[in-house]
Amino acid sequence: MATFTPEVQQAFADTILPGNLKWPKASEVLEFPIPYLSNVEFLPEVLSLEIWKRLVGSSPESRQVICAELERDLASVFQTLLAMIFSAYYSHPTVLALIEAEHSYPARPPMPEGQTFIALTKPPVLPSATTPLWRKDGTDTCEKVFAMQKTDPTKEWKLEEIMTWHTS
Amino acid sequence: MNSQSRVVIIGAGASGAAFAWRLAQQGVKSICLERGDWLDPNEIPTNKPDWEYRRITDFSPNPNVRKGKSDYPILDADSEIKPLMYNGVGGSTIMWSAHTPRFRPSDFKINTLDGVGFDWPISYWDLAPYYEINDAAMGTTGVAGDPGNPPRTPRDTPSLPYGVVGRKMADAATNLGWHWWPSDGNILSTSHGDRPGCNNCGPCEMGCRIGARASVDITYWPKAIAMGAELILNACVSHIEVDSKGLANKVIWFDQNGTQQAIPCDYVVMAANGIGTPRILLNSVSKQFPNGLGNSSGQVGRNFMLHPIAGVTGVWDEPVQSWAGNDAFCLLTQHFYETDSSRNFKRGYEMQVTRGQGPLISALGGFGLNVPWGQGHHERFDQVFGHVATVAVTCEDLPTDTNFVSIDSHVTDRFGVPAAVMNYELEANAKQMKSHGIESAKAWLSAAGAREVLVNPLLAQAGFHLMGTTRMGTDPNISVVGQDCRAHDVPNLLVIDASVFASSAAVNPTPTLQAIALRAADQLVKSGL
C-alpha cells in the first residue's frame, strides 16, 4: 500500500465519516492504519492513484468532491473501502456505546444474549376465522376440504385426517 | 425397490436430508455426496464485533462473494438477480431465514386456472401429508387456523413475537381490509424437544448458534445417520456416467485432495439445488445423452425461475426496534396472491413484513435506506436506525425459455468442472406485478404510520429461490421428470430439489421441496425399476 498511507486513510475516513455535534468523526475513534485494510489486496494501479495524494491536505469540501470522483470512477474499490472503514467505526466500543445511548441498541453482538422486545401493551388481534379465502383448484379433494373448513373454521385438524387427502 | 440397492444422493441440503431420512425410516440406506463439510455452530460469527462485516464478505450467502472452498463459480453477469446458497451439510438451510409458507392449491394448476405457465402433474393435496411430516421434523412456529390457506395441524410452538413493527403492520392491514396472518417458520419460539427457543437475536440467515432456527444438519441428518444413512464430505461431483442401456451407473466426484473417485449406483438422486443440479446434468455428456443427462427434451436448465422481490421500507418517527427478532419475517398478507382480472398481470404476490438491520448494514444504506457517506451521514443514520421495517414483495415468476441455467467450459471450478451460468431477466408479467406490489406496500406502510417510504424496486442480492430447471410434467417433450421425480429419459435418475418445480408460486420454496423429497422417497420405496 505504497500510497494508501495512514495519513491518506485518515483523510478518507474523516471524509466519509465526518461526525457532527453528537457523533465523533472517524479519526476520533479509529487508529490508523486500519487493521482491516492491511488484508485487502488492491491492484497496484489502485494504490498508485493520484487521488490519494490529493486527499491529504485538502479542505473538507474538496475531499468530499475527490471521494465522489472515486465513487464514480472506481465504484467497487470505493465500496470496499467504505464497508471496511464503516465496519471498523460501527463496531468500535465508543461508537456502540453511543448507539446504545441514542437508540437503545445493545452495545454488543446479537449472540449469545439475543434481543429483548419492547413489551406490547396489547398484541394485535388475529383476523377471525371466516369462510376460506384461498382459491379452489377444481379437484374433488379440494371441494371436500374447502367445505369442511367452511363448516367449521376453528376446527383443530389432526395429522391422521390430513394423511387421507393425497390422491396418488 | 430392493433394500440393498445403492442409492446415491448428491447434495446434503434441505431435500437430500429429507429424502435420506425418509428412506432410512423404511430400512433403505443411502450414501450422500456433499461438496462441503459440517458447519460448527461456533464458527457462526454473530457473537463477534464484526459480525455484520462478515455477513457481507466471507460469510455472505452469495457464493461469488464468499468464495469458500466448497463453492463453485456461478457466472451471473447476465442475471438481474444474483445467486445465494450455501454449500455444506445443511445446504442453504444453513443460511436461510426459515420462513415457511406453503404453496396454495392454485399454485399447482396455473395453466388450467389462469392460462399461464405450466401445471404440475400433482396437486397440493398430494403434498399436504408430506408438508405435515416435514413440519414436525423441522419444528414449526406459527398459528394454525388461517382461513387464507387449507387447514394444517397445530404448530409446535406459538408464533414469534410481533414486536412494535408487527403490531403496527397488523393493525394497518386490518384497517385496509387485507387479510393477514403471522408467518409460519422453522424457528422454535419456545423450547421444544431437545432444541431451545429463539432468543430473537435477529440475523437468522447467518446461521443459528443455538439451534432454535432449524437447519437440516440438526434436524434430519442426525436421525438419518443414526438409522444408517451415510455422508461423504468434501465430495465434489463432476458428472454421472451411464451404462449401455442408458441407466445411471456411476457418480464421478473429486475428493478434497483433487483425486477423482467413482461410486457405483443403482439410483442417483439429484439434490444440488436449481443451479447445481442442472450444472451436473449438463456436464454429464455421453454417447446416449450428448446434450446432458436426462436432456433429450432440451429442457434441463430451462424455465429457470427466481422470485423477483421488491423491498419497500417505511421510516417511522418513533423507534420501532428494527433489530429485534427474526429479520426476514413477522407476518404476511396474501391479499394479492391470486389472479384478479382487473389487474394487468396474471397470478400474484405475497407481502411479508421484515425488520431492519444492525448498525453497519444500516449505515451502508442496505435495503435502499438512502444513507449518504460524508456530510449528512450521521443525521440520516439517526433518522433510520431502529426506525424502519421493510415489506418484501415476493412476486410469482413464470417459466420462460429465455431464463435458463447453462454451463461454461471456459470457466471451471478448482477441479476443472465447468461453471454454471445464470441467464435471467424479469419477464413482463413479473414487472407489472412488482409495480403493483410496490404500490400496495407503500399503501400498507403509510397506513401503518410510516413518515417516509423508500423503494428498492428489485433486490438483486435475493436469488435464494432457485427453481424450475428440470421441471416436473407428464409430457417428456417439455419436462424432465415425472410426478415421481424420476427422469423421463433415465428411470433410475431422480431429481428432488426445487429444480422440479413447474411453477414458482409467490412464497418461499423450502417446505414444498422438502415435501416433494419425502414423497419421492416413499414412491421409490414402493416401486422398483
Side-chain angles (χ1 to χ4, degrees), chain A residues 16 20 22-23 36 84 90 103 111-112 115-116 118 122 133 135 137 149 167-168, chain B residues 46 50 53 114 125-126 147 149 167 199 321 323 373-374 377-379 382 519:
Chain A
I16 59 175
N20 60 18
K22 186 169 36 173
W23 294 87
Y36 275 151
M84 287 178 160
Y90 279 103
H103 295 284
M111 279 292 198
Q115 306 290 6
T116 303
I118 299 168
K122 198 171 66 164
L133 302 171
R135 185 180 179 190
D137 66 2
Q149 192 178 7
T167 54
S168 59
Chain B
T46 46
D50 63 348
Y53 185 66
D114 295 318
W125 315 104
D126 295 317
N149 280 276
R167 172 65 201 262
N199 66 7
Q321 214 184 13
W323 59 81
W373 54 265
H377 170 80
H378 295 292
E379 290 79 2
D382 278 334
R519 179 176 179 273

mmCIF file of all heavy atoms in Angstrom, chain A residues 16 20 22-23 36 84 90 103 111-112 115-116 118 122 133 135 137 149 167-168, chain B residues 46 50 53 114 125-126 147 149 167 199 321 323 373-374 377-379 382 519:
data_model
loop_
_atom_site.group_PDB
_atom_site.id
_atom_site.type_symbol
_atom_site.label_atom_id
_atom_site.label_comp_id
_atom_site.label_asym_id
_atom_site.label_seq_id
_atom_site.Cartn_x
_atom_site.Cartn_y
_atom_site.Cartn_z
ATOM 1 N N ILE A 16 -15.599 10.374 4.787
ATOM 2 C CA ILE A 16 -16.844 9.596 4.695
ATOM 3 C C ILE A 16 -17.588 9.550 6.029
ATOM 4 O O ILE A 16 -18.795 9.338 6.072
ATOM 5 C CB ILE A 16 -16.586 8.162 4.162
ATOM 6 C CG1 ILE A 16 -15.618 7.400 5.057
ATOM 7 C CG2 ILE A 16 -16.082 8.214 2.726
ATOM 8 C CD1 ILE A 16 -15.417 5.943 4.642
ATOM 9 N N ASN A 20 -20.465 14.833 13.780
ATOM 10 C CA ASN A 20 -21.233 16.069 14.000
ATOM 11 C C ASN A 20 -21.212 16.359 15.495
ATOM 12 O O ASN A 20 -20.384 15.804 16.218
ATOM 13 C CB ASN A 20 -22.654 15.952 13.422
ATOM 14 C CG ASN A 20 -23.465 14.821 14.054
ATOM 15 O OD1 ASN A 20 -23.130 14.325 15.134
ATOM 16 N ND2 ASN A 20 -24.518 14.406 13.376
ATOM 17 N N LYS A 22 -22.903 15.320 17.789
ATOM 18 C CA LYS A 22 -23.171 14.134 18.606
ATOM 19 C C LYS A 22 -22.201 12.987 18.306
ATOM 20 O O LYS A 22 -21.756 12.290 19.203
ATOM 21 C CB LYS A 22 -24.612 13.689 18.352
ATOM 22 C CG LYS A 22 -25.059 12.562 19.230
ATOM 23 C CD LYS A 22 -26.554 12.278 19.183
ATOM 24 C CE LYS A 22 -27.214 12.451 17.867
ATOM 25 N NZ LYS A 22 -28.599 12.029 17.778
ATOM 26 N N TRP A 23 -21.903 12.816 17.048
ATOM 27 C CA TRP A 23 -21.110 11.661 16.624
ATOM 28 C C TRP A 23 -19.659 12.055 16.392
ATOM 29 O O TRP A 23 -19.387 13.087 15.767
ATOM 30 C CB TRP A 23 -21.675 11.078 15.324
ATOM 31 C CG TRP A 23 -23.043 10.478 15.506
ATOM 32 C CD1 TRP A 23 -24.243 11.134 15.417
ATOM 33 C CD2 TRP A 23 -23.343 9.135 15.870
ATOM 34 N NE1 TRP A 23 -25.278 10.274 15.687
ATOM 35 C CE2 TRP A 23 -24.752 9.028 15.960
ATOM 36 C CE3 TRP A 23 -22.572 8.009 16.113
ATOM 37 C CZ2 TRP A 23 -25.394 7.842 16.296
ATOM 38 C CZ3 TRP A 23 -23.207 6.823 16.439
ATOM 39 C CH2 TRP A 23 -24.610 6.750 16.524
ATOM 40 N N TYR A 36 -8.088 -3.711 9.217
ATOM 41 C CA TYR A 36 -8.802 -4.369 8.121
ATOM 42 C C TYR A 36 -8.106 -4.156 6.777
ATOM 43 O O TYR A 36 -8.057 -5.034 5.931
ATOM 44 C CB TYR A 36 -10.203 -3.774 7.955
ATOM 45 C CG TYR A 36 -11.279 -4.350 8.836
ATOM 46 C CD1 TYR A 36 -12.348 -3.556 9.223
ATOM 47 C CD2 TYR A 36 -11.253 -5.664 9.248
ATOM 48 C CE1 TYR A 36 -13.374 -4.056 10.018
ATOM 49 C CE2 TYR A 36 -12.260 -6.175 10.043
ATOM 50 C CZ TYR A 36 -13.313 -5.369 10.430
ATOM 51 O OH TYR A 36 -14.307 -5.863 11.199
ATOM 52 N N MET A 84 -15.238 -1.364 4.810
ATOM 53 C CA MET A 84 -14.209 -1.667 5.809
ATOM 54 C C MET A 84 -14.126 -0.579 6.873
ATOM 55 O O MET A 84 -14.045 -0.876 8.070
ATOM 56 C CB MET A 84 -12.851 -1.805 5.117
ATOM 57 C CG MET A 84 -12.731 -3.088 4.324
ATOM 58 S SD MET A 84 -11.155 -3.136 3.501
ATOM 59 C CE MET A 84 -11.033 -4.889 3.184
ATOM 60 N N TYR A 90 -18.350 1.368 13.149
ATOM 61 C CA TYR A 90 -19.616 0.984 13.792
ATOM 62 C C TYR A 90 -19.498 -0.242 14.685
ATOM 63 O O TYR A 90 -20.476 -0.622 15.328
ATOM 64 C CB TYR A 90 -20.707 0.793 12.732
ATOM 65 C CG TYR A 90 -21.299 2.122 12.305
ATOM 66 C CD1 TYR A 90 -20.944 2.713 11.103
ATOM 67 C CD2 TYR A 90 -22.183 2.802 13.129
ATOM 68 C CE1 TYR A 90 -21.464 3.945 10.717
ATOM 69 C CE2 TYR A 90 -22.709 4.031 12.766
ATOM 70 C CZ TYR A 90 -22.350 4.596 11.560
ATOM 71 O OH TYR A 90 -22.869 5.822 11.201
ATOM 72 N N HIS A 103 -30.055 4.991 20.703
ATOM 73 C CA HIS A 103 -31.072 4.176 20.026
ATOM 74 C C HIS A 103 -31.476 2.921 20.792
ATOM 75 O O HIS A 103 -32.254 2.118 20.282
ATOM 76 C CB HIS A 103 -30.551 3.766 18.638
ATOM 77 C CG HIS A 103 -30.353 4.924 17.712
ATOM 78 N ND1 HIS A 103 -31.398 5.562 17.082
ATOM 79 C CD2 HIS A 103 -29.221 5.580 17.326
ATOM 80 C CE1 HIS A 103 -30.915 6.546 16.319
ATOM 81 N NE2 HIS A 103 -29.601 6.583 16.458
ATOM 82 N N MET A 111 -25.499 -12.271 19.449
ATOM 83 C CA MET A 111 -25.354 -13.511 20.212
ATOM 84 C C MET A 111 -24.230 -13.343 21.240
ATOM 85 O O MET A 111 -23.292 -12.596 20.990
ATOM 86 C CB MET A 111 -25.021 -14.676 19.281
ATOM 87 C CG MET A 111 -26.225 -15.253 18.587
ATOM 88 S SD MET A 111 -27.272 -16.077 19.805
ATOM 89 C CE MET A 111 -28.259 -17.110 18.741
ATOM 90 N N PRO A 112 -24.297 -14.003 22.382
ATOM 91 C CA PRO A 112 -25.288 -15.036 22.712
ATOM 92 C C PRO A 112 -26.537 -14.522 23.429
ATOM 93 O O PRO A 112 -27.489 -15.275 23.583
ATOM 94 C CB PRO A 112 -24.506 -15.951 23.657
ATOM 95 C CG PRO A 112 -23.559 -15.029 24.359
ATOM 96 C CD PRO A 112 -23.174 -13.979 23.345
ATOM 97 N N GLN A 115 -31.927 -10.564 21.713
ATOM 98 C CA GLN A 115 -32.543 -9.243 21.884
ATOM 99 C C GLN A 115 -33.850 -9.395 22.662
ATOM 100 O O GLN A 115 -34.480 -10.450 22.634
ATOM 101 C CB GLN A 115 -32.844 -8.607 20.517
ATOM 102 C CG GLN A 115 -31.648 -8.531 19.569
ATOM 103 C CD GLN A 115 -30.582 -7.536 19.992
ATOM 104 O OE1 GLN A 115 -30.649 -6.947 21.074
ATOM 105 N NE2 GLN A 115 -29.568 -7.357 19.159
ATOM 106 N N THR A 116 -34.211 -8.322 23.313
ATOM 107 C CA THR A 116 -35.456 -8.328 24.090
ATOM 108 C C THR A 116 -36.427 -7.337 23.467
ATOM 109 O O THR A 116 -36.093 -6.167 23.280
ATOM 110 C CB THR A 116 -35.178 -7.922 25.549
ATOM 111 O OG1 THR A 116 -34.202 -8.821 26.075
ATOM 112 C CG2 THR A 116 -36.451 -7.999 26.382
ATOM 113 N N ILE A 118 -39.535 -4.823 23.146
ATOM 114 C CA ILE A 118 -40.350 -3.940 23.986
ATOM 115 C C ILE A 118 -41.703 -4.636 24.160
ATOM 116 O O ILE A 118 -42.298 -5.103 23.182
ATOM 117 C CB ILE A 118 -40.563 -2.578 23.291
ATOM 118 C CG1 ILE A 118 -39.219 -1.875 23.057
ATOM 119 C CG2 ILE A 118 -41.534 -1.706 24.076
ATOM 120 C CD1 ILE A 118 -39.314 -0.681 22.120
ATOM 121 N N LYS A 122 -50.716 -4.219 24.048
ATOM 122 C CA LYS A 122 -51.826 -5.048 23.571
ATOM 123 C C LYS A 122 -51.392 -5.694 22.258
ATOM 124 O O LYS A 122 -51.071 -4.989 21.298
ATOM 125 C CB LYS A 122 -53.039 -4.151 23.324
ATOM 126 C CG LYS A 122 -54.356 -4.909 23.241
ATOM 127 C CD LYS A 122 -55.541 -3.950 23.215
ATOM 128 C CE LYS A 122 -55.548 -3.110 21.953
ATOM 129 N NZ LYS A 122 -56.792 -2.439 21.646
ATOM 130 N N LEU A 133 -60.477 -18.358 2.432
ATOM 131 C CA LEU A 133 -60.158 -17.278 1.500
ATOM 132 C C LEU A 133 -59.295 -17.761 0.340
ATOM 133 O O LEU A 133 -59.021 -16.996 -0.573
ATOM 134 C CB LEU A 133 -59.416 -16.156 2.251
ATOM 135 C CG LEU A 133 -60.165 -15.541 3.434
ATOM 136 C CD1 LEU A 133 -59.244 -14.609 4.209
ATOM 137 C CD2 LEU A 133 -61.391 -14.789 2.946
ATOM 138 N N ARG A 135 -58.092 -20.016 -2.983
ATOM 139 C CA ARG A 135 -58.769 -20.324 -4.252
ATOM 140 C C ARG A 135 -58.806 -21.824 -4.504
ATOM 141 O O ARG A 135 -57.795 -22.512 -4.322
ATOM 142 C CB ARG A 135 -57.987 -19.625 -5.364
ATOM 143 C CG ARG A 135 -58.584 -19.717 -6.741
ATOM 144 C CD ARG A 135 -57.656 -18.968 -7.687
ATOM 145 N NE ARG A 135 -58.102 -18.985 -9.053
ATOM 146 C CZ ARG A 135 -57.358 -18.574 -10.080
ATOM 147 N NH1 ARG A 135 -56.127 -18.105 -9.853
ATOM 148 N NH2 ARG A 135 -57.822 -18.615 -11.309
ATOM 149 N N ASP A 137 -58.916 -25.372 -6.573
ATOM 150 C CA ASP A 137 -58.150 -25.818 -7.739
ATOM 151 C C ASP A 137 -58.928 -26.759 -8.653
ATOM 152 O O ASP A 137 -58.376 -27.294 -9.615
ATOM 153 C CB ASP A 137 -56.835 -26.475 -7.297
ATOM 154 C CG ASP A 137 -57.045 -27.777 -6.528
ATOM 155 O OD1 ASP A 137 -58.204 -28.210 -6.359
ATOM 156 O OD2 ASP A 137 -56.035 -28.363 -6.080
ATOM 157 N N GLN A 149 -63.723 -26.928 5.968
ATOM 158 C CA GLN A 149 -63.143 -25.739 6.615
ATOM 159 C C GLN A 149 -64.191 -24.639 6.745
ATOM 160 O O GLN A 149 -64.217 -23.901 7.728
ATOM 161 C CB GLN A 149 -61.930 -25.246 5.808
ATOM 162 C CG GLN A 149 -61.089 -24.209 6.539
ATOM 163 C CD GLN A 149 -59.863 -23.764 5.731
ATOM 164 O OE1 GLN A 149 -59.707 -24.129 4.568
ATOM 165 N NE2 GLN A 149 -59.005 -22.980 6.344
ATOM 166 N N THR A 167 -53.951 -38.082 -3.315
ATOM 167 C CA THR A 167 -54.660 -38.836 -4.341
ATOM 168 C C THR A 167 -53.749 -39.778 -5.104
ATOM 169 O O THR A 167 -54.217 -40.574 -5.899
ATOM 170 C CB THR A 167 -55.313 -37.868 -5.346
ATOM 171 O OG1 THR A 167 -54.301 -36.990 -5.853
ATOM 172 C CG2 THR A 167 -56.401 -37.054 -4.678
ATOM 173 N N SER A 168 -52.442 -39.664 -4.922
ATOM 174 C CA SER A 168 -51.541 -40.550 -5.656
ATOM 175 C C SER A 168 -50.382 -40.970 -4.767
ATOM 176 O O SER A 168 -50.142 -40.380 -3.736
ATOM 177 C CB SER A 168 -50.984 -39.837 -6.885
ATOM 178 O OG SER A 168 -50.280 -38.674 -6.497
ATOM 179 N N THR B 46 -22.018 -14.464 14.671
ATOM 180 C CA THR B 46 -22.964 -13.486 15.244
ATOM 181 C C THR B 46 -22.630 -13.116 16.685
ATOM 182 O O THR B 46 -23.330 -12.291 17.276
ATOM 183 C CB THR B 46 -24.405 -14.023 15.164
ATOM 184 O OG1 THR B 46 -24.428 -15.388 15.610
ATOM 185 C CG2 THR B 46 -24.946 -13.950 13.759
ATOM 186 N N ASP B 50 -17.455 -7.911 14.637
ATOM 187 C CA ASP B 50 -17.527 -7.595 13.204
ATOM 188 C C ASP B 50 -18.518 -8.503 12.456
ATOM 189 O O ASP B 50 -18.367 -8.758 11.263
ATOM 190 C CB ASP B 50 -16.142 -7.693 12.558
ATOM 191 C CG ASP B 50 -15.571 -9.099 12.611
ATOM 192 O OD1 ASP B 50 -16.138 -9.949 13.337
ATOM 193 O OD2 ASP B 50 -14.555 -9.355 11.935
ATOM 194 N N TYR B 53 -19.865 -7.209 9.161
ATOM 195 C CA TYR B 53 -18.882 -7.163 8.077
ATOM 196 C C TYR B 53 -18.674 -8.561 7.496
ATOM 197 O O TYR B 53 -18.568 -8.739 6.282
ATOM 198 C CB TYR B 53 -17.560 -6.587 8.597
ATOM 199 C CG TYR B 53 -16.541 -6.399 7.508
ATOM 200 C CD1 TYR B 53 -16.753 -5.464 6.494
ATOM 201 C CD2 TYR B 53 -15.382 -7.159 7.465
ATOM 202 C CE1 TYR B 53 -15.828 -5.305 5.477
ATOM 203 C CE2 TYR B 53 -14.455 -7.003 6.459
ATOM 204 C CZ TYR B 53 -14.688 -6.069 5.463
ATOM 205 O OH TYR B 53 -13.779 -5.911 4.456
ATOM 206 N N ASP B 114 -55.400 -20.130 -14.973
ATOM 207 C CA ASP B 114 -55.102 -18.775 -15.428
ATOM 208 C C ASP B 114 -54.507 -18.699 -16.825
ATOM 209 O O ASP B 114 -54.204 -17.602 -17.308
ATOM 210 C CB ASP B 114 -54.139 -18.101 -14.442
ATOM 211 C CG ASP B 114 -54.785 -17.897 -13.083
ATOM 212 O OD1 ASP B 114 -55.970 -17.501 -13.045
ATOM 213 O OD2 ASP B 114 -54.120 -18.138 -12.067
ATOM 214 N N TRP B 125 -52.874 -31.438 -2.660
ATOM 215 C CA TRP B 125 -53.378 -32.493 -1.769
ATOM 216 C C TRP B 125 -52.441 -33.686 -1.728
ATOM 217 O O TRP B 125 -52.416 -34.419 -0.738
ATOM 218 C CB TRP B 125 -54.794 -32.880 -2.195
ATOM 219 C CG TRP B 125 -55.567 -31.619 -2.458
ATOM 220 C CD1 TRP B 125 -55.908 -31.076 -3.657
ATOM 221 C CD2 TRP B 125 -55.989 -30.669 -1.464
ATOM 222 N NE1 TRP B 125 -56.522 -29.850 -3.489
ATOM 223 C CE2 TRP B 125 -56.592 -29.587 -2.158
ATOM 224 C CE3 TRP B 125 -55.926 -30.626 -0.082
ATOM 225 C CZ2 TRP B 125 -57.127 -28.475 -1.491
ATOM 226 C CZ3 TRP B 125 -56.456 -29.518 0.583
ATOM 227 C CH2 TRP B 125 -57.045 -28.466 -0.127
ATOM 228 N N ASP B 126 -51.691 -33.905 -2.798
ATOM 229 C CA ASP B 126 -50.684 -34.966 -2.788
ATOM 230 C C ASP B 126 -49.547 -34.641 -1.825
ATOM 231 O O ASP B 126 -48.916 -35.533 -1.257
ATOM 232 C CB ASP B 126 -50.103 -35.162 -4.197
ATOM 233 C CG ASP B 126 -51.148 -35.662 -5.176
ATOM 234 O OD1 ASP B 126 -51.920 -36.559 -4.804
ATOM 235 O OD2 ASP B 126 -51.199 -35.131 -6.305
ATOM 236 N N PRO B 147 -57.588 -18.845 7.668
ATOM 237 C CA PRO B 147 -58.562 -19.083 6.599
ATOM 238 C C PRO B 147 -58.002 -18.794 5.214
ATOM 239 O O PRO B 147 -58.623 -19.126 4.209
ATOM 240 C CB PRO B 147 -59.703 -18.118 6.943
ATOM 241 C CG PRO B 147 -59.081 -17.056 7.769
ATOM 242 C CD PRO B 147 -57.956 -17.701 8.512
ATOM 243 N N ASN B 149 -55.466 -20.212 3.941
ATOM 244 C CA ASN B 149 -54.811 -21.416 3.417
ATOM 245 C C ASN B 149 -55.581 -22.653 3.865
ATOM 246 O O ASN B 149 -56.320 -22.599 4.852
ATOM 247 C CB ASN B 149 -53.368 -21.496 3.943
ATOM 248 C CG ASN B 149 -52.420 -20.609 3.168
ATOM 249 O OD1 ASN B 149 -51.906 -20.989 2.120
ATOM 250 N ND2 ASN B 149 -52.203 -19.393 3.661
ATOM 251 N N ARG B 167 -47.013 -5.140 15.273
ATOM 252 C CA ARG B 167 -48.270 -4.576 15.769
ATOM 253 C C ARG B 167 -48.802 -3.506 14.803
ATOM 254 O O ARG B 167 -49.973 -3.484 14.429
ATOM 255 C CB ARG B 167 -48.027 -3.988 17.162
ATOM 256 C CG ARG B 167 -49.184 -3.199 17.723
ATOM 257 C CD ARG B 167 -50.370 -4.130 17.954
ATOM 258 N NE ARG B 167 -51.623 -3.409 18.008
ATOM 259 C CZ ARG B 167 -52.220 -3.057 19.138
ATOM 260 N NH1 ARG B 167 -51.658 -3.336 20.287
ATOM 261 N NH2 ARG B 167 -53.365 -2.407 19.111
ATOM 262 N N ASN B 199 -33.972 -16.665 20.811
ATOM 263 C CA ASN B 199 -33.702 -15.505 21.675
ATOM 264 C C ASN B 199 -33.812 -14.196 20.896
ATOM 265 O O ASN B 199 -33.358 -13.161 21.362
ATOM 266 C CB ASN B 199 -32.337 -15.640 22.362
ATOM 267 C CG ASN B 199 -31.177 -15.584 21.379
ATOM 268 O OD1 ASN B 199 -31.377 -15.309 20.189
ATOM 269 N ND2 ASN B 199 -29.977 -15.828 21.858
ATOM 270 N N GLN B 321 -37.566 -0.454 17.056
ATOM 271 C CA GLN B 321 -36.705 -1.575 17.483
ATOM 272 C C GLN B 321 -36.458 -2.549 16.322
ATOM 273 O O GLN B 321 -36.640 -3.760 16.449
ATOM 274 C CB GLN B 321 -37.374 -2.299 18.653
ATOM 275 C CG GLN B 321 -36.413 -2.842 19.663
ATOM 276 C CD GLN B 321 -37.112 -3.641 20.754
ATOM 277 O OE1 GLN B 321 -38.278 -3.994 20.655
ATOM 278 N NE2 GLN B 321 -36.371 -3.928 21.809
ATOM 279 N N TRP B 323 -34.058 -3.972 14.978
ATOM 280 C CA TRP B 323 -33.050 -5.029 15.016
ATOM 281 C C TRP B 323 -33.506 -6.266 15.798
ATOM 282 O O TRP B 323 -32.841 -7.288 15.748
ATOM 283 C CB TRP B 323 -31.778 -4.489 15.676
ATOM 284 C CG TRP B 323 -32.035 -4.000 17.070
ATOM 285 C CD1 TRP B 323 -32.129 -4.759 18.217
ATOM 286 C CD2 TRP B 323 -32.298 -2.670 17.477
ATOM 287 N NE1 TRP B 323 -32.426 -3.966 19.291
ATOM 288 C CE2 TRP B 323 -32.525 -2.685 18.867
ATOM 289 C CE3 TRP B 323 -32.358 -1.452 16.794
ATOM 290 C CZ2 TRP B 323 -32.814 -1.527 19.596
ATOM 291 C CZ3 TRP B 323 -32.640 -0.310 17.525
ATOM 292 C CH2 TRP B 323 -32.865 -0.354 18.900
ATOM 293 N N TRP B 373 -22.742 8.770 2.505
ATOM 294 C CA TRP B 373 -21.488 8.888 3.237
ATOM 295 C C TRP B 373 -21.145 10.374 3.254
ATOM 296 O O TRP B 373 -21.676 11.160 2.466
ATOM 297 C CB TRP B 373 -20.383 8.040 2.585
ATOM 298 C CG TRP B 373 -20.167 8.321 1.114
ATOM 299 C CD1 TRP B 373 -20.720 7.649 0.070
ATOM 300 C CD2 TRP B 373 -19.365 9.369 0.544
ATOM 301 N NE1 TRP B 373 -20.326 8.197 -1.119
ATOM 302 C CE2 TRP B 373 -19.487 9.257 -0.852
ATOM 303 C CE3 TRP B 373 -18.565 10.380 1.076
ATOM 304 C CZ2 TRP B 373 -18.837 10.127 -1.731
ATOM 305 C CZ3 TRP B 373 -17.917 11.239 0.202
ATOM 306 C CH2 TRP B 373 -18.052 11.112 -1.178
ATOM 307 N N GLY B 374 -20.280 10.765 4.132
ATOM 308 C CA GLY B 374 -19.869 12.176 4.145
ATOM 309 C C GLY B 374 -20.884 13.059 4.863
ATOM 310 O O GLY B 374 -21.546 12.631 5.817
ATOM 311 N N HIS B 377 -24.269 12.145 6.818
ATOM 312 C CA HIS B 377 -24.333 10.703 7.111
ATOM 313 C C HIS B 377 -24.948 10.425 8.483
ATOM 314 O O HIS B 377 -25.885 9.637 8.616
ATOM 315 C CB HIS B 377 -22.938 10.082 7.032
ATOM 316 C CG HIS B 377 -22.888 8.671 7.541
ATOM 317 N ND1 HIS B 377 -23.301 7.599 6.780
ATOM 318 C CD2 HIS B 377 -22.537 8.156 8.770
ATOM 319 C CE1 HIS B 377 -23.186 6.482 7.496
ATOM 320 N NE2 HIS B 377 -22.721 6.803 8.700
ATOM 321 N N HIS B 378 -24.409 11.042 9.490
ATOM 322 C CA HIS B 378 -24.853 10.721 10.850
ATOM 323 C C HIS B 378 -26.290 11.169 11.099
ATOM 324 O O HIS B 378 -27.041 10.494 11.814
ATOM 325 C CB HIS B 378 -23.905 11.363 11.869
ATOM 326 C CG HIS B 378 -22.518 10.801 11.816
ATOM 327 N ND1 HIS B 378 -22.207 9.525 12.191
ATOM 328 C CD2 HIS B 378 -21.356 11.352 11.379
ATOM 329 C CE1 HIS B 378 -20.917 9.303 12.021
ATOM 330 N NE2 HIS B 378 -20.379 10.396 11.520
ATOM 331 N N GLU B 379 -26.654 12.282 10.499
ATOM 332 C CA GLU B 379 -28.022 12.764 10.679
ATOM 333 C C GLU B 379 -29.014 11.754 10.087
ATOM 334 O O GLU B 379 -30.049 11.448 10.691
ATOM 335 C CB GLU B 379 -28.195 14.134 10.002
ATOM 336 C CG GLU B 379 -27.464 15.281 10.695
ATOM 337 C CD GLU B 379 -25.962 15.334 10.379
ATOM 338 O OE1 GLU B 379 -25.477 14.497 9.588
ATOM 339 O OE2 GLU B 379 -25.271 16.208 10.948
ATOM 340 N N ASP B 382 -29.250 8.553 12.183
ATOM 341 C CA ASP B 382 -30.135 8.730 13.350
ATOM 342 C C ASP B 382 -31.612 8.626 12.966
ATOM 343 O O ASP B 382 -32.434 8.171 13.755
ATOM 344 C CB ASP B 382 -29.877 10.096 14.007
ATOM 345 C CG ASP B 382 -28.674 10.063 14.930
ATOM 346 O OD1 ASP B 382 -28.348 8.973 15.441
ATOM 347 O OD2 ASP B 382 -28.056 11.125 15.138
ATOM 348 N N ARG B 519 -42.049 -37.317 -0.413
ATOM 349 C CA ARG B 519 -42.987 -38.100 -1.236
ATOM 350 C C ARG B 519 -42.213 -38.962 -2.249
ATOM 351 O O ARG B 519 -42.549 -40.133 -2.468
ATOM 352 C CB ARG B 519 -43.929 -37.137 -1.966
ATOM 353 C CG ARG B 519 -44.939 -37.816 -2.881
ATOM 354 C CD ARG B 519 -45.897 -36.784 -3.476
ATOM 355 N NE ARG B 519 -46.852 -37.424 -4.366
ATOM 356 C CZ ARG B 519 -46.640 -37.661 -5.663
ATOM 357 N NH1 ARG B 519 -45.483 -37.307 -6.220
ATOM 358 N NH2 ARG B 519 -47.559 -38.255 -6.398
#
